[in-house]
Amino acid sequence: MKLKDQIAAITGAGRGIGRAIALKLAQEGANIVVSDIDLELAEKTVTEIYEIGSKAVAHKVDVCNYDEMNQLGEKALTAFDRPLEIMINNAGITQAKNIFDITPDEWDLMLNIHLRGSFFGMQMAGKIMKKTGKGSIVNMASVYGREGHPLTAHYSASKAGIIDLTKSFAKALAPSEIRVNSVAPSVVETDLWDLGDAQMSKLKGLKKGQAKEERLKQIPLGRSAKPEDIANTVSFLVSKDAEFITGECVHVTGGALMV
Ligand code: NAD
């Protein structure tokens, strides 16, 4: 129970990695604001959290919407009568597309969800945490934000931006002892990766599943990540065990990226 009675908000927590993070932080004793653009999915995660004996509340948030993002902090205070201490900017989408075919709308959506969403999530949480003098933020990046990729240029750029924004906020908030880190997974077994694989396989003239197989061959530990692998890392980063880590991007890639 490393996070006993702490208040956490997670975006995109209705399924996949966000759901796994919500369950893990709840197992560690945190109370969770489960936010997602899909309220029904968020409510399912809340039910699971109650089943493991912790408290949670569902909240519909489109991370591109500034007002909805700002309400997350108030939602935490109203629900649990305590200010936000942990903020996880996780919501995301994917799209594999040739660099010459990405449209302005697709570019804007990708950058808005990842970069704008994480920026205003950090801004909202940072303001609250500066007042209370405690808190920790984790942003979901990607190994593609380190490497770039010819079929995910907009996705990769948005994730590289998240890694950099993390450092800016870490520097700005360090005097208040608030830590800000990012996590960069490679292949995680979720709906997002299935979609990415389907799109990428098609673009490469491969059968569904083959793009993923190619990627898995580049992972020294020989398997894809489970959402829980990422959740365990996030749980460590927001805990006291990581109290001297800030501005870092932690690669959870099974060795696919070693720097
Ligand atoms: P997922 O598609 O399984 O889940 C994403 C969740 O985000 C969904 O519940 C969805 O409803 C929600 N969401 C989408 N748009 C939203 C918006 N505008 N506002 C609020 N919520 C929104 O995806 P996942 O694999 O769990 O991905 C989570 C994060 O991890 C993303 O940021 C993704 O880029 C990152 N990531 C995933 C992988 C992977 O292999 N799955 C690898 C690296 C990074």
Side-chain angles (χ1 to χ4, degrees):
M1 293 292 243
K2 284 182 181 167
L3 306 173
K4 192 160 172 41
D5 296 332
Q6 293 193 36
I7 311 300
I10 304 159
T11 65
R15 71 175 189 211
I17 295 170
R19 167 187 166 272
I21 295 170
L23 295 178
K24 176 67 184 170
L25 300 193
Q27 276 159 7
E28 293 292 351
N31 299 326
I32 319 283
V33 180
V34 178
S35 80
D36 202 288
I37 196 167
D38 184 328
L39 185 61
E40 256 181 58
L41 284 181
E43 282 167 346
K44 276 188 191 161
T45 305
V46 167
T47 305
E48 290 183 279
I49 289 174
Y50 271 93
E51 279 164 12
I52 59 174
S54 203
K55 288 184 202 148
V57 61
H59 191 41
K60 184 179 181 311
V61 174
D62 176 352
V63 295
C64 302
N65 185 314
Y66 176 77
D67 293 333
E68 287 182 16
M69 278 299 272
N70 264 322
Q71 283 162 16
L72 260 179
E74 286 161 34
K75 187 76 184 174
L77 193 59
T78 314
F80 304 118
D81 207 22
R82 285 182 57 181
L84 197 61
E85 290 165 271
I86 297 169
M87 177 71 199
I88 315 293
N89 292 301
N90 162 79
I93 57 167
T94 194
Q95 184 187 37
K97 206 162 180 188
N98 188 293
I99 211 161
F100 299 109
D101 296 332
I102 293 168
T103 66
D105 283 349
E106 287 165 348
W107 172 268
D108 288 347
L109 181 65
M110 193 62 79
L111 273 285
N112 277 341
I113 291 183
H114 293 145
L115 212 43
R116 182 188 155 106
S118 299
F119 179 85
F120 287 108
M122 282 191 278
Q123 189 189 67
M124 176 277 297
K127 281 180 188 169
I128 294 169
M129 292 171 184
K130 258 173 87 80
K131 277 190 201 148
T132 56
K134 59 179 170 181
S136 180
I137 301 173
V138 174
N139 301 312
M140 200 52 61
S142 165
V143 75
Y144 282 170
R146 286 289 197 202
E147 295 177 325
H149 193 288
L151 296 177
T152 62
H154 51 348
Y155 179 86
S156 300
S158 69
K159 294 298 187 181
I162 286 177
I163 294 166
D164 190 75
L165 272 184
T166 298
K167 295 179 200 170
S168 298
F169 272 87
K171 286 176 182 172
L173 295 172
S176 307
E177 292 185 33
I178 294 151
R179 298 179 303 103
V180 189
N181 291 291
S182 62
V183 172
S186 54
V187 180
V188 191
E189 294 294 343
T190 67
D191 293 351
L192 180 140
W193 178 254
D194 286 346
L195 176 66
D197 164 73
Q199 292 177 341
M200 218 174 262
S201 295
K202 197 171 172 196
L203 286 167
K204 290 180 167 186
L206 301 170
K207 284 190 199 141
K208 204 173 165 195
Q210 286 184 322
K212 185 168 157 186
E213 272 171 35
E214 274 184 359
R215 190 76 183 153
L216 289 180
K217 283 183 195 148
Q218 298 160 5
I219 300 179
L221 284 180
R223 67 166 174 90
S224 53
K226 302 183 289 292
E228 291 73 21
D229 292 314
I230 315 304
N232 289 342
T233 306
V234 171
S235 170
F236 163 70
L237 282 173
V238 299
S239 77
K240 201 168 159 34
D241 288 345
E243 68 182 350
F244 205 53
I245 301 177
T246 197
E248 198 59 71
C249 175
V250 181
H251 307 132
V252 190
T253 66
L257 181 69
M258 299 186 192
V259 286

